[in-house]
Amino acid sequence: MSEYQDFLQERDRLDFMIQQGYSIKNIIENLSGAFVELENKEGEKETLQILTPDGRKYFSVLLLKQQKTGAL
Amino acid sequence: MADLRINLAGIQSPNPFWLASAPPTNSGYQVQRAFEAGWGGAVWKTLGDPILNVSSRFAAVSFNGQKVAGFNNIELITDRPLEVNLKEIYETKKKFPNHAIIASLMVEPKQEKWHEIVKRVEDVGVDGLELNFGCPHGMAERGMGAASGQVPELVQKQTYWVKEVAKTPVIVKLTPNITDITVTAEAAVEGGADAISMINTINSLAAVDIDTWDTVPHVGGKGAHGGYCGPAVKPIALHMVGECARNPRINVPISGIGGISNWQNAVEFMLMGATGVQVCTAAMHHGFRIVEDMIEGLNNYLDEKGIASVSELVGKSVQKYSDWGDLDLNYKIVARINNDTCINCNKCHIACEDTSHQCIDMLKDESGKGYLKVREEDCVGCNLCSIVCPVDGAIDMVEVKSGLPPMTWNERQAALGILACGVDPVTK
């Protein structure tokens, strides 16, 4: 599978979480990639590991949007 | 006909093409020949206490049939007495009053030495001075040239000493043999420099003869490092000019030097902030008359662009030269192969498959004929395929919309920082 397909999967997972009312609460980046911690209004938490560079760009755009508008 | 005249810190010349301080400007005979050919100015080969030279002195690096892709020399400053040079400078200036003659100078880092040579040189009517803080070989072993040019305090102090007595504009010529040339450029400005020039030559050893095991060049079987110049150093020089041009603390004109071989190269340096350019290797390779093509080409370029004066070019690309952290991470280009033009040599496929991102497929059409196709979703837009392609127009790099807004690394990192601090930027 190409890296692009991996990215599409990561993007879908991020979009799904946002659609479910989650917002980004923390991001940890290390040698294993990035771990995006999300939380909804009920306090439920989810963590997504993002491996592709395009995926890391994508959640960064989501984060900037979240910080700019207060919503995703 | 566009106006090609330039004014570099008060030094005027009929066009932006000067000969750099080097073997082509060793004597009045040569400089007068150069002016007759059309050069707008000449920086006289460095004056100082006459030195002794060795034989041999030059070496060139050829690459894939291109002669003099790079040029290496171990020749030192002038080996003729100051009086002889001054007499010839005076005569040349008298014959060519509208051409710029700049005296390159190098003496020991002592105030009285600089005062003496500046006064004597200015007495014969030079248009400006260029302080040689860049020569990397020979003189550097004696504490001059690059040896003092690598120490910001010495650059500042010596520039200041010159400015104490100089009546003509002072250009400080900088060495590239330093990690960050803006540090010494700033030191020159702090010392009072009216302009800076860059780059002098880069420490180099041209080659080793694999039969005799001698260095190239060698002097009776022994070698020493030289200074590298010519087309190979142009990207290094252009970067250094750009770095200085975009530094707000370096607010003096720049004379661009380093591998300039044609009018196109000169335009690049001027766009990146140089007020004029200096040329050496190209003249040594092809003779003084190359300036005819340079003048004609530059003039035609300006006319085609509708630009009245060459000075309008200066610095126009500087704002486009930034830091990596300010580049848009979401800008995307991909390669597209034009199969009508492609000769199916497969060089792009091999380059991509072996050394890049494995996104050029070798396919066959219905008739069994081979063709190449880029999987655009996997292409990172690295340019390698178009770089190695031997056919002009066979591969285009085209912009595709990523669907994402512009975002730089610096913006991204700032956003991550805000998140880590727990600050809500909307309510704050």
Side-chain angles (χ1 to χ4, degrees):
Chain A
M1 191 164 65
S2 75
E3 192 172 271
Y4 180 69
Q5 297 302 320
D6 292 335
F7 160 63
L8 291 180
Q9 285 192 2
E10 291 180 343
R11 188 184 67 182
D12 288 347
R13 285 159 59 203
L14 284 161
D15 283 345
F16 178 75
M17 298 305 293
I18 301 305
Q19 284 164 9
Q20 296 300 306
Y22 284 79
S23 59
I24 298 170
K25 288 296 171 189
N26 192 26
I27 293 168
I28 297 166
E29 293 190 289
N30 57 32
L31 293 173
S32 300
F35 297 87
V36 181
E37 295 173 10
L38 303 111
E39 187 178 322
N40 64 13
K41 286 176 181 165
E42 288 73 44
E44 294 171 318
K45 294 177 180 175
E46 291 285 345
T47 300
L48 298 180
Q49 183 180 10
I50 304 299
L51 299 171
T52 67
D54 280 343
R56 284 185 281 122
K57 287 181 187 175
Y58 189 70
F59 73 63
S60 305
V61 170
L62 294 178
L63 176 64
L64 278 161
K65 189 178 171 191
Q66 175 179 297
Q67 291 179 344
K68 196 172 178 184
T69 64
L72 287 164
Chain B
M1 178 82 186
D3 184 356
L4 299 187
R5 291 174 300 171
I6 64 161
N7 182 332
L8 188 139
I11 304 171
Q12 296 182 33
S13 73
N15 63 55
F17 302 112
W18 295 0
L19 283 172
S21 171
T25 60
N26 187 49
S27 66
Y29 171 78
Q30 291 168 285
V31 173
Q32 287 172 34
R33 265 177 73 85
F35 287 166
E36 281 163 6
W39 292 90
V43 185
W44 208 273
K45 186 170 168 75
T46 303
L47 308 175
D49 289 329
I51 52 78
L52 298 171
N53 267 313
V54 293
S55 172
S56 62
R57 304 179 191 180
F58 305 147
V61 173
S62 299
F63 186 77
N64 269 0
Q66 187 192 329
K67 298 281 280 182
V68 198
F71 193 83
N72 175 89
N73 89 88
I74 57 171
E75 184 172 294
L76 304 185
I77 65 172
T78 186
D79 56 6
R80 307 187 311 155
L82 186 63
E83 289 75 11
V84 174
N85 279 299
L86 295 183
K87 180 171 175 286
E88 292 177 14
I89 289 172
Y90 176 77
E91 290 167 354
T92 306
K93 189 64 196 170
K94 208 170 173 185
K95 275 189 184 171
F96 296 89
N98 298 322
H99 290 66
I101 298 181
I102 296 91
S104 173
L105 307 177
M106 183 196 292
V107 292
E108 291 171 55
K110 292 177 181 168
Q111 185 183 31
E112 64 274 17
K113 281 275 192 183
W114 282 109
H115 282 190
E116 181 196 359
I117 196 164
V118 166
K119 287 173 185 169
R120 293 183 67 183
V121 166
E122 287 194 331
D123 278 349
V124 297
V126 295
D127 298 291
L129 309 171
E130 185 181 78
L131 315 187
N132 182 343
F133 296 155
C135 184
H137 50 274
M139 305 310 287
E141 294 171 23
R142 306 169 202 180
M144 291 179 269
S148 64
Q150 289 162 337
V151 183
E153 293 79 9
L154 278 176
V155 171
Q156 182 183 356
K157 187 164 277 186
Q158 292 180 99
T159 307
Y160 182 78
W161 289 337
V162 170
K163 285 295 292 179
E164 284 178 326
V165 292
K167 295 177 184 138
T168 60
V170 175
I171 307 168
V172 172
K173 187 170 182 179
L174 299 168
T175 175
N177 298 305
I178 188 166
T179 305
D180 182 358
I181 200 165
T182 65
V183 174
T184 44
E186 281 188 37
V189 172
E190 286 164 10
D194 300 295
I196 50 176
S197 57
M198 66 195 70
I199 58 175
N200 207 306
T201 53
I202 301 171
N203 286 335
S204 61
L205 171 59
V208 176
D209 187 314
I210 61 170
D211 292 321
T212 64
W213 301 0
D214 281 336
T215 62
V216 181
H218 71 89
V219 179
K222 210 171 231 183
H225 83 269
Y228 199 49
C229 53
V233 312
K234 193 200 106 193
I236 298 167
L238 196 56
H239 155 70
M240 291 185 170
V241 167
E243 285 298 310
C244 288
R246 73 190 186 95
N247 183 323
R249 291 182 296 280
I250 304 170
N251 52 359
V252 295
I254 300 169
S255 180
I257 314 166
I260 296 158
S261 305
N262 51 41
W263 67 267
Q264 292 96 331
N265 296 162
V267 169
E268 290 179 72
F269 274 76
M270 295 185 81
L271 289 171
M272 200 42 80
T275 298
V277 297
Q278 298 184 32
V279 177
C280 173
T281 305
M284 293 181 76
H285 191 184
H286 301 295
F288 287 151
R289 290 190 64 182
I290 58 162
V291 77
E292 294 170 9
D293 286 344
M294 290 174 153
I295 292 169
E296 186 182 352
L298 178 61
N299 187 56
N300 291 342
Y301 170 80
L302 294 170
D303 284 350
E304 282 166 21
K305 291 264 181 197
I307 297 171
S309 167
V310 70
S311 297
E312 293 174 44
L313 292 177
V314 178
K316 287 293 189 291
S317 293
V318 174
Q319 281 193 329
K320 292 171 179 275
Y321 198 46
S322 184
D323 293 320
W324 191 94
D326 294 326
L327 305 181
D328 179 9
L329 293 166
N330 290 329
Y331 174 77
K332 185 169 172 59
I333 59 168
V334 297
R336 275 196 196 144
I337 297 169
N338 302 313
N339 292 108
D340 292 341
T341 315
C342 172
I343 58 171
N344 271 343
C345 70
N346 296 330
K347 278 191 81 73
C348 61
H349 168 81
I350 293 164
C352 186
E353 201 70 11
D354 286 355
T355 65
S356 195
H357 285 77
Q358 301 80 48
C359 65
I360 300 179
D361 293 329
M362 296 173 72
L363 304 170
K364 287 193 187 301
D365 63 17
E366 306 83 35
S367 65
K369 187 182 166 202
Y371 70 99
L372 296 153
K373 187 171 171 55
V374 177
R375 288 194 322 280
E376 293 187 5
E377 65 273 20
D378 287 320
C379 176
V380 300
C382 71
N383 287 339
L384 180 63
C385 56
S386 67
I387 290 169
V388 302
C389 178
V391 181
D392 286 341
I395 300 179
D396 292 326
M397 301 303 300
V398 295
E399 181 179 354
V400 291
K401 297 297 175 192
S402 70
L404 298 174
M407 176 187 67
T408 70
W409 169 259
N410 290 337
E411 289 167 343
R412 175 190 192 271
Q413 293 310 100
L416 262 62
I418 289 169
L419 188 70
C421 294
V423 179
D424 182 346
V426 175
T427 56
K428 278 283 172 185

